[in-house]
């Protein structure tokens, strides 16, 4: 029984000595300019050293505690069996050390209640304490949550929290011309030349997914009034430029110029209401028609 105690005292004295030595060294004025260390500085080294010593100390105390419990299990059992100790809260904690899990699983009275249903008998046993206290905790947590978020309105609900995070994220994104969060302010092109160029670009790059007449294949139908990501020309421009990777829509920035993207977006809008054969079913939200005036 004396060896663990000596080990604990030795560990405490060693930690205190190293701590005092480190503090005294830190307070000693430097006579020369300190050289930059390639690794950790003195404060970091002292922190990790103390953290390691703390870990060793905790492991030592744990091992000493386990040793004491193992060696004194008989005496602890006798103490636990005393009527004045057995039924108390501290006695139940002591019971965990000697192998009685009543504090965790509750009392098993094995007493039948005076009723049964279809031959099913019910015992009058306690609910597990961990379950009861966990349930009580959820009630208290629910009351605090409702009071903080709904009654005092000091906490942000999901929608407000999302808006706050989006504003914070916008500050970290470049606000330049290539900012995907910044919507352009273009007007749909309406001249025959622009729409003809848009048609040529569409036939080469977009028809394989959206169909030769924009009726929709893998991609959605572009001739109806329903849009997945917005049907206004600047929304269509953004969709073409940055793509929708999660749905297989590739980004065309770097492959098409800004003017070419605007031309093909304007051409796609010019096809609204054309009602091609074998048109794909509508997808997304309905929006008012928005197409260039000029026709090819």
């Amino acid at each position: 029984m004396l060896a663990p105690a000596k080990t604990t005292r030795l560990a405490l004295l060693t930690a205190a000595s190293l701590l005092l030595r480190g503090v005294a060294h830190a307070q000693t004025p430097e006579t020369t300019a300190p050289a930059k260390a390639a690794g950790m500085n003195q404060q970091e080294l002292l922190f990790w050293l103390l953290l390691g010593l703390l870990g060793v100390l905790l492991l030592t105390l744990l091992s000493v505690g386990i040793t004491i419990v193992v060696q004194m299990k008989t005496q602890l059992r006798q103490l636990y069996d005393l009527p004045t100790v057995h039924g108390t809260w501290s006695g139940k904690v002591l019971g965990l050390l000697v192998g009685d899990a009543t504090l965790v699983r509750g009392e098993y009275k094995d007493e039948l209640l005076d009723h049964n249903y279809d031959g099913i008998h019910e015992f009058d046993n306690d609910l597990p304490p961990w379950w009861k206290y966990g349930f009580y905790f959820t009630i208290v947590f629910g009351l605090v949550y409702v009071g903080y978020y709904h009654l005092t309105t000091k906490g942000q609900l999901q929608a407000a929290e999302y808006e706050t995070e989006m504003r914070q994220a916008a500050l970290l994104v470049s606000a330049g011309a290539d900012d995907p969060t910044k919507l352009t302010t273009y007007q749909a092109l309406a001249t025959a030349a622009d729409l003809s160029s848009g048609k040529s670009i569409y036939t080469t790059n977009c028809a394989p997914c959206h169909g030769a007449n924009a009726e929709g294949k893998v991609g959605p139908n572009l001739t109806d009034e329903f849009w997945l990501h917005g049907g206004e020309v600047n929304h269509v421009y953004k969709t073409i430029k940055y793509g929708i990777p999660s749905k297989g829509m590739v980004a065309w920035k770097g492959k098409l110029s800004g003017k070419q993207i605007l031309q093909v977006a304007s051409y796609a809008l010019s096809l609204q209401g054309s009602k091609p054969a074998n048109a794909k079913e509508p997808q997304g939200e309905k929006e008012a028609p928005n197409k260039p005036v000029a026709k090819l």
Side-chain angles (χ1 to χ4, degrees):
M1 293 298 295
L2 296 176
K6 289 182 178 180
T7 303
T8 303
R9 288 198 297 270
L10 180 60
L12 289 172
L13 290 173
T14 303
S17 176
L18 291 172
L19 177 60
L20 292 174
R21 186 180 303 174
V23 172
H25 179 75
Q27 293 178 347
T28 303
E30 297 289 344
T31 55
T32 58
K36 291 185 177 180
M40 296 185 295
N41 57 35
Q42 293 180 353
Q43 291 181 347
E44 291 176 340
L45 182 61
L46 180 61
F47 169 78
W48 288 111
L49 178 62
L50 292 177
L51 189 62
L53 290 173
L54 179 61
V56 172
L57 178 60
L58 292 176
L59 288 176
T60 303
L61 293 175
L62 180 61
S63 64
V64 170
I66 293 175
T67 303
I68 292 174
V69 170
V70 170
Q71 293 185 359
M72 296 185 64
K73 188 172 183 179
T74 303
Q75 293 86 342
L76 292 175
R77 185 71 194 188
Q78 293 175 354
L79 178 62
Y80 175 66
D81 289 336
L82 294 175
T84 56
V85 176
H86 188 82
T88 64
W89 177 264
S90 58
K92 293 179 180 179
V93 174
L94 181 61
L96 291 176
L97 300 178
V98 297
D100 188 349
T102 302
L103 180 63
V104 177
R105 60 175 172 79
E107 292 280 354
Y108 283 97
K109 303 175 185 177
D110 291 335
E111 296 178 1
L112 282 174
L113 297 178
D114 58 353
H115 61 269
N116 66 80
Y117 298 96
D118 297 330
I120 300 174
H121 298 277
E122 183 179 355
F123 285 92
D124 186 18
N125 291 326
D126 291 341
L127 287 171
W130 63 266
W131 189 94
K132 288 193 294 185
Y133 294 124
F135 180 67
Y136 298 153
F137 172 77
T138 59
I139 294 175
V140 174
F141 177 83
L143 294 175
V144 173
Y145 182 91
V146 171
Y148 182 74
Y149 286 97
H150 293 274
L151 299 180
T152 65
T153 64
K154 291 183 178 180
Q156 288 185 331
L157 295 178
Q158 291 181 344
E161 191 176 43
Y162 172 77
E163 293 175 358
T164 301
E165 290 180 356
M166 291 300 293
R167 287 195 298 268
Q168 292 174 348
L171 297 176
L172 302 177
V173 179
S174 171
D178 204 37
D179 179 8
T181 65
K182 184 179 179 181
L183 200 63
T184 55
T185 56
Y186 297 132
Q187 296 291 327
L189 301 177
T191 64
D194 286 321
L195 295 179
S196 178
S197 298
K199 180 179 180 180
S200 177
I201 297 169
Y202 177 90
T203 302
T204 303
N205 301 291
C206 309
C209 287
H210 291 281
N213 299 309
E215 70 276 12
K217 289 184 177 179
V218 178
N221 178 7
L222 302 179
T223 64
D224 57 26
E225 300 175 358
F226 292 83
W227 296 88
L228 290 169
H229 305 286
E232 196 271 334
V233 64
N234 290 284
H235 288 95
V236 178
Y237 180 95
K238 178 181 177 180
T239 301
I240 297 172
K241 183 175 182 179
Y242 299 106
I244 309 293
S246 62
K247 296 184 178 179
M249 173 67 182
V250 300
W252 290 96
K253 67 174 184 177
K255 303 172 185 177
L256 299 175
S257 66
K259 184 175 182 180
Q260 288 176 319
I261 294 175
L262 185 58
Q263 287 173 334
V264 72
S266 300
Y267 171 73
L269 292 176
S270 72
L271 298 176
Q272 284 193 311
S274 57
K275 298 180 180 180
N278 300 318
K280 195 174 182 180
E281 67 278 1
Q283 295 174 274
E285 300 293 332
K286 184 176 181 179
E287 296 186 16
N290 181 15
K291 57 184 180 180
V293 176
K295 294 290 184 180
L296 293 178

